[in-house]
């Protein structure tokens, strides 16, 4: 039998990698390096909260569409 060919996997884009930095665990942990200054830490943490809220909203919409799509076949 002939081997099955899988579709090519697209290379990760740099734009996507940079866009996902706010939800990267390592970057999130790095914000704790700002604990020396309370104002800077709170500002950084607030930025991460806003980014996570935006990503959550986007992913909830994506997941809802995927789950409510009719089954293939």
């Amino acid at each position: 039998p002939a081997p099955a060919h899988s579709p090519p996997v697209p290379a990760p884009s740099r734009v996507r990698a940079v866009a996902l930095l706010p939800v990267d665990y390592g970057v999130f942990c790095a914000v704790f390096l700002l604990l020396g200054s309370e104002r800077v830490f709170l500002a950084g943490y607030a930025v991460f909260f806003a980014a996570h809220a935006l990503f959550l909203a986007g992913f909830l919409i994506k997941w809802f569409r995927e789950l409510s799509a009719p089954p293939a076949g």
Side-chain angles (χ1 to χ4, degrees):
H5 294 287
S6 60
V9 177
S13 72
R14 291 182 187 208
V15 174
R16 183 173 187 260
V18 171
L20 291 175
L21 276 178
V23 292
D24 181 64
Y25 184 69
V27 176
F28 177 72
C29 289
V31 80
F32 287 96
L33 295 173
L34 305 173
L35 273 172
S37 173
E38 183 179 354
R39 281 186 176 180
V40 176
F41 172 74
L42 289 176
Y45 206 80
V47 168
F48 274 97
F49 174 78
H52 279 95
L54 287 172
F55 276 99
L56 174 65
F59 280 120
L60 284 175
I61 292 168
K62 177 185 177 286
W63 293 329
F64 179 79
R65 287 180 181 163
E66 288 175 355
L67 290 174
S68 54

